Amino acid sequence: MKVTEHIAKAKGKTLFSFEIVPPKKGNNIEELYRNIEPLIEFKPPFIDVTTSREEYFYKEHPNGLLEKKITRMRPGTVGICSAIKYKYGIDTVPHVLCGGFTKEETEYLLVDCFYLGINNVMALRGDAMKEERYFQPTKNGHTYAVELVKQIKDLSKGKYLHDVIETDYGADFCIGVAGYPEKHIEAPSMSFDLARLKEKVNAGADYIVTQMFFDNQKYFDFVEKVRLAGIDVPIIPGIKPITTKRHISLLPQVFKLDLPEELVSELEKCKTNSEVKQVGIEWAIQQSKELKNYGVPTLHYYSMGKSDGIVDIVSKVF
């Protein structure tokens, strides 16, 4: 079932969903199952699975020369989506990136999703590589998420990169895209960012999932601006509980977001990461309850592969 169908079926009731990262190469999928199973009892209608782009590493040869090579540390997004879908009977949403993938590789991924009965995808540009100051598109890949959305919609119509295929069994993907309550890091203004978001929706995006935020008013204001811009698709808030002291400086720096003074004040009193985690959980519970009362379609949690804190939050909210 599509994400938008789950939302429509709920008839105004707030749903629960979460996002996981694939295990690193060499790790067993059973560890992932152990992490998500405590959350299954809360009946998430769908689960997102992230995709990692390529990374560089250097291989040293006997003569001392270094060879620059490319690897992916967390492959297998589509396979994990399929495994979860058929093990638990829950719809999955693989993340599809511009960065690190050619248009042909994207087409192959989408065809695999279609074969496996996965009909939801999250279309994202992706981040710059660690060695890059700014995002650089992959050769023969997409530069912007709107281009990716267009490719997905074309495939749904039977328009492949090199063929037009007449079929009664065409893919019909439900497409999610990202929204930024505090503006995308590279956007010069909020109005510019909203214009880019509208382009993605006009190209065929069916719903929006926001970047994490810690002040609900940022989300409320964002929704109002999005609606005034003429965008009427569901807007799902993304929630991440702070779990370590490092997050206090790291999250604002990486995602260019603000932490409320009240939250910062409580976090600064903490002497251990355990105390920080508890403050983060309590804050996320307050956020979630207020957002649920507001009537958001889904509360979407960024779990980063750790379920214990999310369980504590969801058990108090749902």
Side-chain angles (χ1 to χ4, degrees):
M1 188 182 294
K2 295 179 179 180
V3 168
T4 50
E5 291 173 337
H6 282 296
I7 292 171
K9 186 179 177 181
K11 297 180 179 179
K13 177 183 176 182
T14 298
L15 303 173
F16 155 67
S17 65
F18 62 97
E19 179 176 302
I20 59 173
V21 297
K24 288 185 177 181
K25 285 190 299 188
N27 289 4
N28 194 297
I29 197 172
E30 293 300 326
E31 181 180 351
L32 184 146
Y33 289 152
R34 285 194 295 273
N35 268 315
I36 68 174
E37 280 177 354
L39 294 169
I40 299 300
E41 67 175 278
F42 297 102
K43 297 180 172 53
F46 60 91
I47 298 171
D48 278 44
V49 182
T50 65
T51 295
S52 64
R53 65 171 302 168
E54 78 280 23
E55 299 176 26
Y56 289 123
F57 74 98
Y58 293 88
K59 179 180 179 181
E60 185 173 0
H61 292 281
N63 61 6
L65 294 176
L66 296 176
E67 181 183 4
K68 189 176 182 180
K69 299 181 76 68
I70 292 177
T71 186
R72 292 188 193 276
M73 294 304 295
R74 297 179 184 271
T77 295
V78 173
I80 290 168
C81 282
S82 180
I84 292 173
K85 178 179 174 67
Y86 291 101
K87 181 178 177 67
Y88 299 108
I90 296 173
D91 286 310
T92 48
V93 186
H95 288 196
V96 184
L97 304 182
C98 296
F101 297 87
T102 66
K103 296 172 187 176
E104 283 77 12
E105 288 172 328
T106 297
E107 184 172 282
Y108 300 151
L109 182 149
L110 294 170
V111 169
D112 284 345
C113 288
F114 176 54
Y115 288 156
L116 294 166
I118 297 169
N119 58 4
N120 297 288
V121 293
M122 187 76 181
L124 304 165
R125 189 200 69 175
D127 299 322
M129 296 181 70
K130 293 178 182 177
E131 295 80 7
E132 298 172 345
R133 183 174 178 82
Y134 301 105
F135 176 84
Q136 297 293 328
T138 299
K139 184 178 180 180
N140 298 321
H142 294 299
T143 304
Y144 301 108
V146 65
E147 299 168 357
L148 181 54
V149 172
K150 289 176 181 176
Q151 181 180 2
I152 298 167
K153 292 302 290 186
D154 279 348
L155 190 141
S156 295
K157 300 171 186 174
K159 297 179 182 178
Y160 291 73
L161 291 174
H162 308 297
D163 302 282
V164 176
I165 300 174
E166 297 292 337
T167 177
D168 294 328
Y169 304 99
D172 184 18
F173 291 106
C174 179
I175 306 170
V177 293
Y180 300 87
E182 296 174 72
K183 185 180 76 62
H184 189 277
I185 184 174
E186 296 174 18
S189 68
M190 178 58 84
S191 61
F192 180 94
D193 204 25
L194 288 171
R196 303 291 80 75
L197 180 60
K198 189 170 184 178
E199 286 177 359
K200 290 188 285 188
V201 173
N202 289 344
D206 298 290
Y207 68 98
I208 298 163
V209 180
T210 75
Q211 180 179 263
M212 69 183 76
F213 56 90
F214 295 89
D215 179 351
N216 284 351
Q217 192 59 49
K218 303 280 189 182
Y219 172 82
F220 301 145
D221 292 344
F222 176 68
V223 170
E224 183 178 355
K225 291 171 184 175
V226 169
R227 299 305 183 218
L228 287 173
I231 301 170
D232 61 0
V233 301
I235 305 172
I236 297 173
I239 306 296
K240 175 177 170 49
I242 289 178
T243 56
T244 69
K245 196 95 172 177
R246 186 165 171 258
H247 282 163
I248 302 173
S249 58
L250 181 66
L251 295 179
Q253 178 183 358
V254 173
F255 297 101
K256 294 297 183 287
L257 50 80
D258 291 331
L259 297 181
E261 289 295 336
E262 182 184 350
L263 174 59
V264 173
S265 176
E266 291 303 310
L267 291 170
E268 287 183 332
K269 297 175 186 176
C270 298
K271 295 180 172 57
T272 66
N273 279 336
S274 178
E275 293 176 351
V276 168
K277 183 177 180 179
Q278 192 55 45
V279 169
I281 288 172
E282 292 299 327
W283 188 270
I285 290 171
Q286 293 176 30
Q287 267 196 281
S288 299
K289 286 182 176 180
E290 185 178 23
L291 289 165
K292 189 179 179 185
N293 289 336
Y294 179 80
V296 299
T298 303
L299 285 169
H300 186 73
Y301 295 91
Y302 298 115
S303 75
M304 305 305 290
K306 303 294 183 183
S307 65
D308 53 344
I310 307 299
V311 170
D312 291 342
I313 297 164
V314 177
S315 63
K316 300 289 195 309
V317 177
F318 289 91

